[in-house]
Amino acid sequence: MAEKPPAPGFETLAIHAGAAPDPVTGARSTPIYQTTAYVFDDVDHAASLFNLQTYGYIYSRLTNPTVSVLEERVATLEGGRGAIAVASGHAAQLLAFFSFMEPGDQFIASNKLYGGSITQFGRSFKKFGWDCVFVDADDPENFRRAITPRCKAIFVESLSNPTGVIVDLERIAEIAHEAGLLFIVDNTMASPFICRPMRWGADLVVHSTTKFLSGHGNAMGGVVVDSGRFDWAQNDKFKSLTEPEPAYHDLRFYETFGDLALTVHGHAVGLRDLGATMAPLNAFLTITGIETLPLRMERHVANAQAVAEHLERHPAVSWVAYAGLPASKYHALARKYLPKGAGSVFTFGVKGGYEAGVALVEAVELFSHLANVGDTRSLIIHPASTTHRQLTTEQQIAAGAGPDVVRLSIGLESIADIIGDLDQGLAKAMRG
Amino acid sequence: MVGASEHWNRPSFFAMKYLQDKGYRVIPVNPQAKGEAILGEKVYADLAEIPDRIDMVDIFRRAEAVPAIVDQAIKQGAKVVWMQLGVRHDAAAAKAEAAGLKVVMNRCPKIEYSRLNGELAWSGVNTGIISSKRRKL
Ligand SMILES: Cc1ncc(COP(=O)(O)O)c(C=O)c1O
């Protein structure tokens, strides 16, 4: 028997997974299939497609050839079985929960999440009858204590935005699995180059591909990746995958598709009914972005580490929350779960509080003052005067967005220019 | 295909129809449907009744039913025993392998065919295939 070749490396997969030269033209880059629908060979072919009995494209709300390449690529990089690409990171979270939650069900989430996710889970999901309980993830036992019979899943961010909290993925996965719950990890801030949540027991990984995966601040997107390892039939919590689905002639997804059940369900039911489809152009931009993900992430974390070390010594800075610094309380977890670096988004405290924070974001010349992260460009925001301005000061502090907090997303410019811009900005802010 | 169903919404029907479309001949075995036809093929009650030469036996039955089917597959001269998603029987598999048959467990030939021929990638699945060659049409 021929020996199995070694598995391709991450860099190879980032460029090749999911893509092959176009069968008709030989086009090497993935074509943008800017089409809504696809012709059927005949009525029988159409029937087989609609019955999910054969593979093929019907309508781009469900699947599209450019989008499929992105799905396979991210699934591969995360070590998953399959993926569903959607219009944004928030759509990915909605689709992930929609695939198994029913009215009256509950899930537990870390209270240190991207603020938009706290709002989505805490407010809008209530309208579907989905109840989210938030706990402090620094003690994994808090998840176990919050489990009730109605609970179906646990949700965390591998590296939280913007507080830089790192959770103990392996322990939380054990707690989830002992209770027969699904463990979902948002890996947006780390990217699969830095952290592989499925290695530590994650069942689903979600991403806002808007951030580091596309990487250039030019394409919205999200993705849900399924590990294919979760046993949906181990209890009666996951009926949408184990019980007959009336809209598909009583097909049972788990019985029929095995470890592909969630991937097929996410397209055939999730995208069909939620309609949060990713545009082929955004898929193309994201595919292209991922090809340089390893190179970009190496530079992102090297630049972020240098900036964090510089700010730690800076007289105008009172604290720096970056897990790559030995002083961080998350440093040990970072070394275990994010061995290639603690990402490139972090917060620091500027001396002089609210006024100094406002002065700094207005004084910088290279940093862009905007509400995004994970761009080639360095980005800055003062949450208390922007994203968190509706909150009281006490609420702002609880959310890690107190008056003195500034968030940076360190880009790929020359490190001397990044540091130079912060230095001149801080000098102006100190002069007031 | 042992355990082939005449009901069009059952997984075995999906797999049989797909494999037929790809040019394979699939002979259904199902005692309840003996003498009837599924997708144009006569249904047999038992593997032993099939007069044709059999290349592969695809098992759509519970694991408990596997040993008896494997014994028949060996007698019939099949080259491959394939157990469907969720079906696994290690002792029966060892026996088949000792008799020179190839064994696949807990997989679906429809999914594996489509994985190796580029069709599964259309559904966003990690196919594990990396190639700089044009995909076949
Ligand atoms: C960690 C994290 N998850 C999810 C999202 C939501 O993603 P999107 O803006 O693509 O909907 C964001 C966006 O900032 C994020 O930072």
Side-chain angles (χ1 to χ4, degrees), chain A residues 21 23-24 48 51 53 55 57 68 72 76 80-81 83 249 255 267, chain B residues 8-10 17 110 114 121-127 132-135:
Chain A
V24 178
S48 295
N51 290 344
Q53 284 166 332
Y55 304 94
Y57 297 102
S68 305
E72 181 170 0
T76 306
R81 185 72 175 112
H249 45 74
E255 176 192 43
H267 293 98
Chain B
W8 69 286
N9 60 356
R10 298 298 301 151
K17 184 158 192 260
K110 174 192 174 207
S114 62
W122 299 345
S123 314
V125 169
N126 176 2
T127 60
S132 62
K133 301 284 182 272
R134 274 192 211 196
R135 273 184 186 149

PDB file of all heavy atoms in Angstrom, chain A residues 21 23-24 48 51 53 55 57 68 72 76 80-81 83 249 255 267, chain B residues 8-10 17 110 114 121-127 132-135:
ATOM      1  N   PRO A  21      -8.801  24.737  -9.921  1.00  0.00           N
ATOM      2  CA  PRO A  21      -9.029  25.464 -11.174  1.00  0.00           C
ATOM      3  C   PRO A  21     -10.427  25.183 -11.731  1.00  0.00           C
ATOM      4  O   PRO A  21     -10.929  24.072 -11.628  1.00  0.00           O
ATOM      5  CB  PRO A  21      -7.937  24.909 -12.091  1.00  0.00           C
ATOM      6  CG  PRO A  21      -6.853  24.482 -11.151  1.00  0.00           C
ATOM      7  CD  PRO A  21      -7.565  23.959  -9.939  1.00  0.00           C
ATOM      8  N   PRO A  23     -13.404  24.025 -13.725  1.00  0.00           N
ATOM      9  CA  PRO A  23     -13.430  22.868 -14.628  1.00  0.00           C
ATOM     10  C   PRO A  23     -13.609  23.252 -16.096  1.00  0.00           C
ATOM     11  O   PRO A  23     -13.117  22.562 -16.983  1.00  0.00           O
ATOM     12  CB  PRO A  23     -14.604  22.026 -14.131  1.00  0.00           C
ATOM     13  CG  PRO A  23     -15.299  22.799 -13.094  1.00  0.00           C
ATOM     14  CD  PRO A  23     -14.423  23.925 -12.662  1.00  0.00           C
ATOM     15  N   VAL A  24     -14.287  24.343 -16.386  1.00  0.00           N
ATOM     16  CA  VAL A  24     -14.560  24.693 -17.780  1.00  0.00           C
ATOM     17  C   VAL A  24     -13.439  25.531 -18.379  1.00  0.00           C
ATOM     18  O   VAL A  24     -12.908  25.223 -19.439  1.00  0.00           O
ATOM     19  CB  VAL A  24     -15.903  25.454 -17.892  1.00  0.00           C
ATOM     20  CG1 VAL A  24     -16.155  25.867 -19.338  1.00  0.00           C
ATOM     21  CG2 VAL A  24     -17.043  24.606 -17.368  1.00  0.00           C
ATOM     22  N   SER A  48     -34.639  15.658  -7.521  1.00  0.00           N
ATOM     23  CA  SER A  48     -33.583  15.123  -6.653  1.00  0.00           C
ATOM     24  C   SER A  48     -32.900  16.238  -5.860  1.00  0.00           C
ATOM     25  O   SER A  48     -32.576  16.061  -4.691  1.00  0.00           O
ATOM     26  CB  SER A  48     -32.517  14.398  -7.475  1.00  0.00           C
ATOM     27  OG  SER A  48     -33.059  13.280  -8.093  1.00  0.00           O
ATOM     28  N   ASN A  51     -35.220  17.494  -3.133  1.00  0.00           N
ATOM     29  CA  ASN A  51     -35.356  16.476  -2.085  1.00  0.00           C
ATOM     30  C   ASN A  51     -34.060  16.255  -1.303  1.00  0.00           C
ATOM     31  O   ASN A  51     -34.014  15.383  -0.446  1.00  0.00           O
ATOM     32  CB  ASN A  51     -35.748  15.130  -2.700  1.00  0.00           C
ATOM     33  CG  ASN A  51     -37.158  15.133  -3.233  1.00  0.00           C
ATOM     34  OD1 ASN A  51     -37.941  16.009  -2.906  1.00  0.00           O
ATOM     35  ND2 ASN A  51     -37.482  14.148  -4.057  1.00  0.00           N
ATOM     36  N   GLN A  53     -31.555  14.797  -2.460  1.00  0.00           N
ATOM     37  CA  GLN A  53     -31.082  13.454  -2.804  1.00  0.00           C
ATOM     38  C   GLN A  53     -29.814  13.493  -3.644  1.00  0.00           C
ATOM     39  O   GLN A  53     -29.148  12.489  -3.807  1.00  0.00           O
ATOM     40  CB  GLN A  53     -32.181  12.683  -3.544  1.00  0.00           C
ATOM     41  CG  GLN A  53     -33.259  12.211  -2.594  1.00  0.00           C
ATOM     42  CD  GLN A  53     -34.503  11.758  -3.301  1.00  0.00           C
ATOM     43  OE1 GLN A  53     -34.820  12.220  -4.386  1.00  0.00           O
ATOM     44  NE2 GLN A  53     -35.227  10.858  -2.675  1.00  0.00           N
ATOM     45  N   TYR A  55     -26.399  16.307  -5.052  1.00  0.00           N
ATOM     46  CA  TYR A  55     -25.691  17.550  -4.758  1.00  0.00           C
ATOM     47  C   TYR A  55     -25.779  18.465  -5.965  1.00  0.00           C
ATOM     48  O   TYR A  55     -25.678  18.024  -7.102  1.00  0.00           O
ATOM     49  CB  TYR A  55     -24.224  17.260  -4.451  1.00  0.00           C
ATOM     50  CG  TYR A  55     -24.074  16.271  -3.328  1.00  0.00           C
ATOM     51  CD1 TYR A  55     -23.923  14.911  -3.594  1.00  0.00           C
ATOM     52  CD2 TYR A  55     -24.122  16.682  -2.006  1.00  0.00           C
ATOM     53  CE1 TYR A  55     -23.811  13.996  -2.565  1.00  0.00           C
ATOM     54  CE2 TYR A  55     -24.008  15.774  -0.969  1.00  0.00           C
ATOM     55  CZ  TYR A  55     -23.851  14.427  -1.256  1.00  0.00           C
ATOM     56  OH  TYR A  55     -23.743  13.523  -0.239  1.00  0.00           O
ATOM     57  N   TYR A  57     -26.440  22.970  -7.244  1.00  0.00           N
ATOM     58  CA  TYR A  57     -26.903  24.308  -6.908  1.00  0.00           C
ATOM     59  C   TYR A  57     -28.315  24.521  -7.418  1.00  0.00           C
ATOM     60  O   TYR A  57     -28.668  24.078  -8.508  1.00  0.00           O
ATOM     61  CB  TYR A  57     -25.953  25.348  -7.505  1.00  0.00           C
ATOM     62  CG  TYR A  57     -24.565  25.240  -6.919  1.00  0.00           C
ATOM     63  CD1 TYR A  57     -23.531  24.629  -7.621  1.00  0.00           C
ATOM     64  CD2 TYR A  57     -24.311  25.705  -5.635  1.00  0.00           C
ATOM     65  CE1 TYR A  57     -22.266  24.506  -7.064  1.00  0.00           C
ATOM     66  CE2 TYR A  57     -23.060  25.589  -5.066  1.00  0.00           C
ATOM     67  CZ  TYR A  57     -22.042  24.992  -5.785  1.00  0.00           C
ATOM     68  OH  TYR A  57     -20.808  24.868  -5.226  1.00  0.00           O
ATOM     69  N   SER A  68     -19.246  28.462  -1.562  1.00  0.00           N
ATOM     70  CA  SER A  68     -18.871  27.104  -1.128  1.00  0.00           C
ATOM     71  C   SER A  68     -17.370  26.964  -0.946  1.00  0.00           C
ATOM     72  O   SER A  68     -16.907  26.242  -0.062  1.00  0.00           O
ATOM     73  CB  SER A  68     -19.296  26.047  -2.159  1.00  0.00           C
ATOM     74  OG  SER A  68     -20.637  26.136  -2.442  1.00  0.00           O
ATOM     75  N   GLU A  72     -15.640  25.675   2.540  1.00  0.00           N
ATOM     76  CA  GLU A  72     -14.722  24.537   2.692  1.00  0.00           C
ATOM     77  C   GLU A  72     -13.377  25.012   3.243  1.00  0.00           C
ATOM     78  O   GLU A  72     -12.748  24.329   4.049  1.00  0.00           O
ATOM     79  CB  GLU A  72     -14.522  23.801   1.363  1.00  0.00           C
ATOM     80  CG  GLU A  72     -13.591  22.605   1.557  1.00  0.00           C
ATOM     81  CD  GLU A  72     -13.506  21.660   0.367  1.00  0.00           C
ATOM     82  OE1 GLU A  72     -14.172  21.902  -0.653  1.00  0.00           O
ATOM     83  OE2 GLU A  72     -12.762  20.668   0.476  1.00  0.00           O
ATOM     84  N   THR A  76     -11.865  23.703   6.763  1.00  0.00           N
ATOM     85  CA  THR A  76     -10.590  23.005   6.780  1.00  0.00           C
ATOM     86  C   THR A  76      -9.622  23.640   7.779  1.00  0.00           C
ATOM     87  O   THR A  76      -8.978  22.944   8.558  1.00  0.00           O
ATOM     88  CB  THR A  76      -9.970  23.017   5.368  1.00  0.00           C
ATOM     89  OG1 THR A  76     -10.934  22.487   4.447  1.00  0.00           O
ATOM     90  CG2 THR A  76      -8.698  22.197   5.313  1.00  0.00           C
ATOM     91  N   GLY A  80     -12.767  21.424  10.984  1.00  0.00           N
ATOM     92  CA  GLY A  80     -14.168  21.015  11.084  1.00  0.00           C
ATOM     93  C   GLY A  80     -14.592  20.135   9.926  1.00  0.00           C
ATOM     94  O   GLY A  80     -13.819  19.876   9.006  1.00  0.00           O
ATOM     95  N   ARG A  81     -15.846  19.674   9.987  1.00  0.00           N
ATOM     96  CA  ARG A  81     -16.389  18.783   8.958  1.00  0.00           C
ATOM     97  C   ARG A  81     -17.024  19.576   7.823  1.00  0.00           C
ATOM     98  O   ARG A  81     -16.963  19.173   6.669  1.00  0.00           O
ATOM     99  CB  ARG A  81     -17.431  17.869   9.611  1.00  0.00           C
ATOM    100  CG  ARG A  81     -17.990  16.806   8.700  1.00  0.00           C
ATOM    101  CD  ARG A  81     -16.973  15.722   8.427  1.00  0.00           C
ATOM    102  NE  ARG A  81     -17.560  14.646   7.644  1.00  0.00           N
ATOM    103  CZ  ARG A  81     -17.223  14.358   6.377  1.00  0.00           C
ATOM    104  NH1 ARG A  81     -16.312  15.055   5.756  1.00  0.00           N
ATOM    105  NH2 ARG A  81     -17.807  13.357   5.759  1.00  0.00           N
ATOM    106  N   ALA A  83     -19.063  23.795   6.835  1.00  0.00           N
ATOM    107  CA  ALA A  83     -19.309  25.165   7.284  1.00  0.00           C
ATOM    108  C   ALA A  83     -20.443  25.790   6.490  1.00  0.00           C
ATOM    109  O   ALA A  83     -20.755  25.359   5.380  1.00  0.00           O
ATOM    110  CB  ALA A  83     -18.040  26.006   7.133  1.00  0.00           C
ATOM    111  N   HIS A 249     -40.140  16.388   3.474  1.00  0.00           N
ATOM    112  CA  HIS A 249     -40.777  15.071   3.467  1.00  0.00           C
ATOM    113  C   HIS A 249     -40.310  14.177   4.607  1.00  0.00           C
ATOM    114  O   HIS A 249     -39.946  13.026   4.420  1.00  0.00           O
ATOM    115  CB  HIS A 249     -40.601  14.375   2.108  1.00  0.00           C
ATOM    116  CG  HIS A 249     -39.203  14.461   1.546  1.00  0.00           C
ATOM    117  ND1 HIS A 249     -38.182  13.719   2.052  1.00  0.00           N
ATOM    118  CD2 HIS A 249     -38.664  15.232   0.568  1.00  0.00           C
ATOM    119  CE1 HIS A 249     -37.070  14.020   1.409  1.00  0.00           C
ATOM    120  NE2 HIS A 249     -37.334  14.941   0.508  1.00  0.00           N
ATOM    121  N   GLU A 255     -29.874  11.211  10.866  1.00  0.00           N
ATOM    122  CA  GLU A 255     -29.896   9.850  10.335  1.00  0.00           C
ATOM    123  C   GLU A 255     -29.421   9.829   8.874  1.00  0.00           C
ATOM    124  O   GLU A 255     -28.678   8.936   8.454  1.00  0.00           O
ATOM    125  CB  GLU A 255     -31.329   9.310  10.422  1.00  0.00           C
ATOM    126  CG  GLU A 255     -31.507   7.945   9.807  1.00  0.00           C
ATOM    127  CD  GLU A 255     -32.971   7.577   9.647  1.00  0.00           C
ATOM    128  OE1 GLU A 255     -33.779   8.435   9.215  1.00  0.00           O
ATOM    129  OE2 GLU A 255     -33.314   6.438   9.938  1.00  0.00           O
ATOM    130  N   HIS A 267     -27.763  25.030   5.576  1.00  0.00           N
ATOM    131  CA  HIS A 267     -28.099  25.560   4.249  1.00  0.00           C
ATOM    132  C   HIS A 267     -29.579  25.320   3.926  1.00  0.00           C
ATOM    133  O   HIS A 267     -30.278  26.231   3.511  1.00  0.00           O
ATOM    134  CB  HIS A 267     -27.247  24.871   3.165  1.00  0.00           C
ATOM    135  CG  HIS A 267     -25.787  25.203   3.242  1.00  0.00           C
ATOM    136  ND1 HIS A 267     -24.871  24.393   3.844  1.00  0.00           N
ATOM    137  CD2 HIS A 267     -25.088  26.280   2.793  1.00  0.00           C
ATOM    138  CE1 HIS A 267     -23.663  24.934   3.752  1.00  0.00           C
ATOM    139  NE2 HIS A 267     -23.766  26.090   3.124  1.00  0.00           N
TER     140      HIS A 267
ATOM    141  N   TRP B   8     -39.588   6.662  -0.693  1.00  0.00           N
ATOM    142  CA  TRP B   8     -38.698   7.606  -1.365  1.00  0.00           C
ATOM    143  C   TRP B   8     -38.044   8.602  -0.415  1.00  0.00           C
ATOM    144  O   TRP B   8     -37.106   9.276  -0.783  1.00  0.00           O
ATOM    145  CB  TRP B   8     -39.461   8.355  -2.459  1.00  0.00           C
ATOM    146  CG  TRP B   8     -40.474   9.298  -1.904  1.00  0.00           C
ATOM    147  CD1 TRP B   8     -41.667   8.961  -1.338  1.00  0.00           C
ATOM    148  CD2 TRP B   8     -40.381  10.713  -1.813  1.00  0.00           C
ATOM    149  NE1 TRP B   8     -42.307  10.068  -0.904  1.00  0.00           N
ATOM    150  CE2 TRP B   8     -41.550  11.172  -1.191  1.00  0.00           C
ATOM    151  CE3 TRP B   8     -39.416  11.653  -2.201  1.00  0.00           C
ATOM    152  CZ2 TRP B   8     -41.780  12.513  -0.942  1.00  0.00           C
ATOM    153  CZ3 TRP B   8     -39.657  12.993  -1.955  1.00  0.00           C
ATOM    154  CH2 TRP B   8     -40.831  13.411  -1.331  1.00  0.00           C
ATOM    155  N   ASN B   9     -38.519   8.692   0.839  1.00  0.00           N
ATOM    156  CA  ASN B   9     -37.894   9.662   1.752  1.00  0.00           C
ATOM    157  C   ASN B   9     -36.941   8.996   2.736  1.00  0.00           C
ATOM    158  O   ASN B   9     -36.549   9.603   3.727  1.00  0.00           O
ATOM    159  CB  ASN B   9     -38.959  10.455   2.506  1.00  0.00           C
ATOM    160  CG  ASN B   9     -39.870   9.559   3.333  1.00  0.00           C
ATOM    161  OD1 ASN B   9     -39.747   8.338   3.291  1.00  0.00           O
ATOM    162  ND2 ASN B   9     -40.769  10.150   4.085  1.00  0.00           N
ATOM    163  N   ARG B  10     -36.550   7.749   2.498  1.00  0.00           N
ATOM    164  CA  ARG B  10     -35.609   7.080   3.393  1.00  0.00           C
ATOM    165  C   ARG B  10     -34.175   7.228   2.864  1.00  0.00           C
ATOM    166  O   ARG B  10     -33.954   7.282   1.653  1.00  0.00           O
ATOM    167  CB  ARG B  10     -35.954   5.587   3.528  1.00  0.00           C
ATOM    168  CG  ARG B  10     -37.325   5.320   4.135  1.00  0.00           C
ATOM    169  CD  ARG B  10     -37.461   5.854   5.554  1.00  0.00           C
ATOM    170  NE  ARG B  10     -36.451   5.254   6.432  1.00  0.00           N
ATOM    171  CZ  ARG B  10     -35.953   5.856   7.505  1.00  0.00           C
ATOM    172  NH1 ARG B  10     -36.354   7.065   7.836  1.00  0.00           N
ATOM    173  NH2 ARG B  10     -35.046   5.247   8.236  1.00  0.00           N
ATOM    174  N   LYS B  17     -30.611   5.876  -5.414  1.00  0.00           N
ATOM    175  CA  LYS B  17     -30.893   6.723  -6.576  1.00  0.00           C
ATOM    176  C   LYS B  17     -29.612   7.433  -7.034  1.00  0.00           C
ATOM    177  O   LYS B  17     -29.302   7.498  -8.230  1.00  0.00           O
ATOM    178  CB  LYS B  17     -31.955   7.749  -6.181  1.00  0.00           C
ATOM    179  CG  LYS B  17     -32.429   8.640  -7.300  1.00  0.00           C
ATOM    180  CD  LYS B  17     -33.796   9.223  -6.973  1.00  0.00           C
ATOM    181  CE  LYS B  17     -34.416   9.878  -8.191  1.00  0.00           C
ATOM    182  NZ  LYS B  17     -34.299  11.306  -8.239  1.00  0.00           N
ATOM    183  N   LYS B 110     -22.647   7.247  -0.944  1.00  0.00           N
ATOM    184  CA  LYS B 110     -23.085   8.440  -1.680  1.00  0.00           C
ATOM    185  C   LYS B 110     -22.223   9.636  -1.277  1.00  0.00           C
ATOM    186  O   LYS B 110     -21.721  10.386  -2.114  1.00  0.00           O
ATOM    187  CB  LYS B 110     -24.555   8.722  -1.354  1.00  0.00           C
ATOM    188  CG  LYS B 110     -25.087  10.009  -1.933  1.00  0.00           C
ATOM    189  CD  LYS B 110     -26.445  10.372  -1.337  1.00  0.00           C
ATOM    190  CE  LYS B 110     -26.891  11.739  -1.810  1.00  0.00           C
ATOM    191  NZ  LYS B 110     -27.785  12.404  -0.876  1.00  0.00           N
ATOM    192  N   SER B 114     -19.312  11.516  -3.638  1.00  0.00           N
ATOM    193  CA  SER B 114     -19.406  12.946  -3.932  1.00  0.00           C
ATOM    194  C   SER B 114     -18.200  13.694  -3.365  1.00  0.00           C
ATOM    195  O   SER B 114     -17.746  14.681  -3.945  1.00  0.00           O
ATOM    196  CB  SER B 114     -20.698  13.509  -3.357  1.00  0.00           C
ATOM    197  OG  SER B 114     -20.716  13.371  -1.952  1.00  0.00           O
ATOM    198  N   ALA B 121     -18.083  19.299  -2.071  1.00  0.00           N
ATOM    199  CA  ALA B 121     -17.584  20.654  -1.807  1.00  0.00           C
ATOM    200  C   ALA B 121     -18.660  21.691  -2.115  1.00  0.00           C
ATOM    201  O   ALA B 121     -18.636  22.787  -1.568  1.00  0.00           O
ATOM    202  CB  ALA B 121     -16.339  20.924  -2.650  1.00  0.00           C
ATOM    203  N   TRP B 122     -19.618  21.331  -2.988  1.00  0.00           N
ATOM    204  CA  TRP B 122     -20.698  22.273  -3.300  1.00  0.00           C
ATOM    205  C   TRP B 122     -21.553  22.560  -2.070  1.00  0.00           C
ATOM    206  O   TRP B 122     -22.281  23.533  -2.040  1.00  0.00           O
ATOM    207  CB  TRP B 122     -21.595  21.708  -4.410  1.00  0.00           C
ATOM    208  CG  TRP B 122     -20.874  21.463  -5.697  1.00  0.00           C
ATOM    209  CD1 TRP B 122     -19.641  21.928  -6.066  1.00  0.00           C
ATOM    210  CD2 TRP B 122     -21.347  20.684  -6.795  1.00  0.00           C
ATOM    211  NE1 TRP B 122     -19.323  21.483  -7.323  1.00  0.00           N
ATOM    212  CE2 TRP B 122     -20.350  20.721  -7.797  1.00  0.00           C
ATOM    213  CE3 TRP B 122     -22.512  19.963  -7.040  1.00  0.00           C
ATOM    214  CZ2 TRP B 122     -20.488  20.060  -9.019  1.00  0.00           C
ATOM    215  CZ3 TRP B 122     -22.654  19.306  -8.257  1.00  0.00           C
ATOM    216  CH2 TRP B 122     -21.650  19.360  -9.238  1.00  0.00           C
ATOM    217  N   SER B 123     -21.486  21.696  -1.076  1.00  0.00           N
ATOM    218  CA  SER B 123     -22.296  21.892   0.129  1.00  0.00           C
ATOM    219  C   SER B 123     -21.486  22.472   1.278  1.00  0.00           C
ATOM    220  O   SER B 123     -21.924  22.429   2.418  1.00  0.00           O
ATOM    221  CB  SER B 123     -22.885  20.560   0.589  1.00  0.00           C
ATOM    222  OG  SER B 123     -23.425  19.854  -0.488  1.00  0.00           O
ATOM    223  N   GLY B 124     -20.278  22.968   1.017  1.00  0.00           N
ATOM    224  CA  GLY B 124     -19.504  23.593   2.078  1.00  0.00           C
ATOM    225  C   GLY B 124     -18.815  22.611   2.998  1.00  0.00           C
ATOM    226  O   GLY B 124     -18.507  22.925   4.135  1.00  0.00           O
ATOM    227  N   VAL B 125     -18.565  21.387   2.494  1.00  0.00           N
ATOM    228  CA  VAL B 125     -17.973  20.358   3.346  1.00  0.00           C
ATOM    229  C   VAL B 125     -16.468  20.309   3.151  1.00  0.00           C
ATOM    230  O   VAL B 125     -15.960  20.532   2.054  1.00  0.00           O
ATOM    231  CB  VAL B 125     -18.605  18.989   3.013  1.00  0.00           C
ATOM    232  CG1 VAL B 125     -17.849  17.861   3.682  1.00  0.00           C
ATOM    233  CG2 VAL B 125     -20.062  18.982   3.439  1.00  0.00           C
ATOM    234  N   ASN B 126     -15.766  20.021   4.242  1.00  0.00           N
ATOM    235  CA  ASN B 126     -14.319  19.822   4.191  1.00  0.00           C
ATOM    236  C   ASN B 126     -14.051  18.465   3.550  1.00  0.00           C
ATOM    237  O   ASN B 126     -14.220  17.429   4.183  1.00  0.00           O
ATOM    238  CB  ASN B 126     -13.772  19.877   5.621  1.00  0.00           C
ATOM    239  CG  ASN B 126     -12.292  19.575   5.700  1.00  0.00           C
ATOM    240  OD1 ASN B 126     -11.632  19.350   4.694  1.00  0.00           O
ATOM    241  ND2 ASN B 126     -11.783  19.577   6.909  1.00  0.00           N
ATOM    242  N   THR B 127     -13.624  18.456   2.293  1.00  0.00           N
ATOM    243  CA  THR B 127     -13.446  17.190   1.581  1.00  0.00           C
ATOM    244  C   THR B 127     -12.058  16.608   1.801  1.00  0.00           C
ATOM    245  O   THR B 127     -11.800  15.464   1.430  1.00  0.00           O
ATOM    246  CB  THR B 127     -13.634  17.385   0.061  1.00  0.00           C
ATOM    247  OG1 THR B 127     -12.653  18.328  -0.393  1.00  0.00           O
ATOM    248  CG2 THR B 127     -15.025  17.895  -0.249  1.00  0.00           C
ATOM    249  N   SER B 132      -4.099  21.045  -7.516  1.00  0.00           N
ATOM    250  CA  SER B 132      -4.005  22.161  -8.450  1.00  0.00           C
ATOM    251  C   SER B 132      -4.477  21.758  -9.841  1.00  0.00           C
ATOM    252  O   SER B 132      -4.294  22.494 -10.803  1.00  0.00           O
ATOM    253  CB  SER B 132      -2.552  22.646  -8.517  1.00  0.00           C
ATOM    254  OG  SER B 132      -1.743  21.590  -8.998  1.00  0.00           O
ATOM    255  N   LYS B 133      -5.085  20.572  -9.942  1.00  0.00           N
ATOM    256  CA  LYS B 133      -5.611  20.111 -11.235  1.00  0.00           C
ATOM    257  C   LYS B 133      -7.071  20.544 -11.390  1.00  0.00           C
ATOM    258  O   LYS B 133      -7.800  20.637 -10.405  1.00  0.00           O
ATOM    259  CB  LYS B 133      -5.533  18.580 -11.305  1.00  0.00           C
ATOM    260  CG  LYS B 133      -4.115  18.039 -11.150  1.00  0.00           C
ATOM    261  CD  LYS B 133      -3.322  18.233 -12.421  1.00  0.00           C
ATOM    262  CE  LYS B 133      -1.928  17.669 -12.300  1.00  0.00           C
ATOM    263  NZ  LYS B 133      -0.967  18.654 -11.743  1.00  0.00           N
ATOM    264  N   ARG B 134      -7.483  20.737 -12.647  1.00  0.00           N
ATOM    265  CA  ARG B 134      -8.890  21.037 -12.884  1.00  0.00           C
ATOM    266  C   ARG B 134      -9.772  19.929 -12.347  1.00  0.00           C
ATOM    267  O   ARG B 134      -9.465  18.753 -12.525  1.00  0.00           O
ATOM    268  CB  ARG B 134      -9.162  21.082 -14.396  1.00  0.00           C
ATOM    269  CG  ARG B 134      -8.909  22.389 -15.014  1.00  0.00           C
ATOM    270  CD  ARG B 134      -9.495  22.382 -16.407  1.00  0.00           C
ATOM    271  NE  ARG B 134      -8.676  23.266 -17.235  1.00  0.00           N
ATOM    272  CZ  ARG B 134      -9.058  23.731 -18.410  1.00  0.00           C
ATOM    273  NH1 ARG B 134     -10.219  23.371 -18.935  1.00  0.00           N
ATOM    274  NH2 ARG B 134      -8.284  24.532 -19.095  1.00  0.00           N
ATOM    275  N   ARG B 135     -10.889  20.314 -11.730  1.00  0.00           N
ATOM    276  CA  ARG B 135     -11.860  19.299 -11.324  1.00  0.00           C
ATOM    277  C   ARG B 135     -12.548  18.754 -12.554  1.00  0.00           C
ATOM    278  O   ARG B 135     -12.734  19.473 -13.524  1.00  0.00           O
ATOM    279  CB  ARG B 135     -12.903  19.918 -10.391  1.00  0.00           C
ATOM    280  CG  ARG B 135     -12.391  19.844  -8.979  1.00  0.00           C
ATOM    281  CD  ARG B 135     -13.381  20.351  -7.975  1.00  0.00           C
ATOM    282  NE  ARG B 135     -12.685  20.349  -6.684  1.00  0.00           N
ATOM    283  CZ  ARG B 135     -12.917  21.197  -5.695  1.00  0.00           C
ATOM    284  NH1 ARG B 135     -13.842  22.102  -5.827  1.00  0.00           N
ATOM    285  NH2 ARG B 135     -12.254  21.117  -4.576  1.00  0.00           N
TER     286      ARG B 135
END
